[in-house]
Amino acid sequence: MNKQNIYWQLYQDDPILKPGFPSPVLADPSFLFPENCPDGLWHLFAHNIFGVQEFLSEDGIHWKKRKTVVWNAMRPFIYLEDGTYYLYYEKYKFLHVLMSWFPYRKWKSHIEVRTSKDLKSWSSPQTVITPKFPFHKDPKYGESVSNPCLVKFGKKYRMYFSSSLVFIPDCGFCEPKHITVAEANSPLGPFSYFSDPILSPNEMDPFCNLGAGSIKVIEWKGRYLGFQNGIFWNPVRKESCSAILFLQSEDGIHFERINQTPILGPTGRGWKASHVYACDVKYSETEKIFILYFNARNKAHWTQGKEAIGLFVGKVEESKTSGTKSTKQIKKQKPTAKKKISKPKPKGKKSKR
């Protein structure tokens, strides 16, 4: 039986992508490996305060902006199947994201999808998820469905998404409160909603006592791994924080933490001092590496903070073990100075990182 150990480490201390003027935010990255793109380049989608932007790279480290793909949209997720690209995102009204920072402005959004065969031309938008149940809405702050993540389960498709809102006082804006699921027979829907959240904040949970944030789920070696950015109040620092929690599940619904503490959290200083937010994760079978792009915030309040994108890498090492028939937990160990995590390389490329 093989036992997997994952060594997590930042690729570099600095962000790999920064927001461009005049937006203070570049957030919620979602990406594609170069071997899955017609042009053989890395593609990354992220949002600023105006909409969803696309970036290109030869090595996954140095990026150039290509274009704005969708205006008045945020929190994208890119999915590929049978030569069709599906770009999901949270859609809101014109300038709504700017107005939402002011008091008494209720939020309202839904999740749309556009499709493409070449990552150049995109179809007209189609709405796939709308606020429906009471836990998708808050009477004071508005109606919200966000942070889409599509995973195929057999012949069905499961959409993980955030719902409802919770106000974070020291930030001056709202964050997602719950995480829930919907299922369909097609990536385009129609989706049937679960009637309850699968993850919610708990006042007794030190890393998820304000909001459940978002989750990205991937299938890996017969189980489902979840990467959730829980939102919590830090009583020591006396401020809100967000950090990435590493979860696992056998059915993709009931998740438990692999690590009881976050695998990546705020540092108290620098570009990720305040919050480490949403991410996208993919596993390279050839390199035995998890590649995780995330965004982080340097200061809490919206009038002061900026958000940029960084890279986190998890290297998998396997060793022969005996005695048990199954390993339910993936143990994480801290990287040492003698053990360097190999830098992810695009397949078929000669360029180095």
Side-chain angles (χ1 to χ4, degrees), residues 169-181:
D170 63 335
C171 292
F173 53 78
C174 291
E175 292 286 7
K177 187 173 184 179
H178 305 289
I179 294 172
T180 189
V181 179

Side-chain angles (χ1 to χ4, degrees), residues 125-280:
Q126 177 178 328
T127 299
V128 289
I129 300 287
T130 58
K132 180 179 180 181
F133 289 108
F135 68 90
H136 296 164
K137 309 171 185 179
D138 183 275
K140 186 175 182 179
Y141 302 119
E143 304 177 4
S144 174
V145 288
S146 62
N147 293 300
C149 171
L150 193 77
V151 181
K152 191 171 185 180
F153 281 73
K155 294 183 178 180
K156 288 188 175 292
Y157 298 85
R158 186 171 289 172
M159 176 75 78
Y160 296 87
F161 63 97
S162 307
S163 68
S164 194
L165 298 164
V166 58
F167 185 71
I168 311 299
D170 63 335
C171 292
F173 53 78
C174 291
E175 292 286 7
K177 187 173 184 179
H178 305 289
I179 294 172
T180 189
V181 179
E183 286 187 340
N185 294 321
S186 162
L188 298 176
F191 284 89
S192 299
Y193 300 68
F194 281 38
S195 58
D196 293 294
I198 62 168
L199 292 168
S200 294
N202 183 335
E203 63 180 9
M204 303 302 293
D205 188 335
F207 302 111
C208 189
N209 52 42
L210 294 179
S214 67
I215 194 170
K216 294 298 188 296
V217 177
I218 63 171
E219 192 277 332
W220 191 71
K221 296 188 181 297
R223 67 185 68 122
Y224 298 94
L225 303 182
F227 298 82
Q228 176 197 4
N229 71 291
I231 300 165
F232 57 96
W233 181 258
N234 187 322
V236 176
R237 291 167 51 173
K238 292 182 171 53
E239 61 185 2
S240 68
C241 294
S242 179
I244 295 178
L245 305 168
F246 192 17
L247 318 176
Q248 69 175 350
S249 173
E250 293 186 1
D251 61 5
I253 298 296
H254 303 92
F255 284 90
E256 61 181 4
R257 288 181 193 166
I258 296 172
N259 300 81
Q260 294 308 307
T261 57
I263 58 172
L264 180 63
T267 58
R269 56 186 177 80
W271 72 278
K272 54 183 186 300
S274 177
H275 295 73
V276 172
Y277 280 132
C279 64
D280 192 21

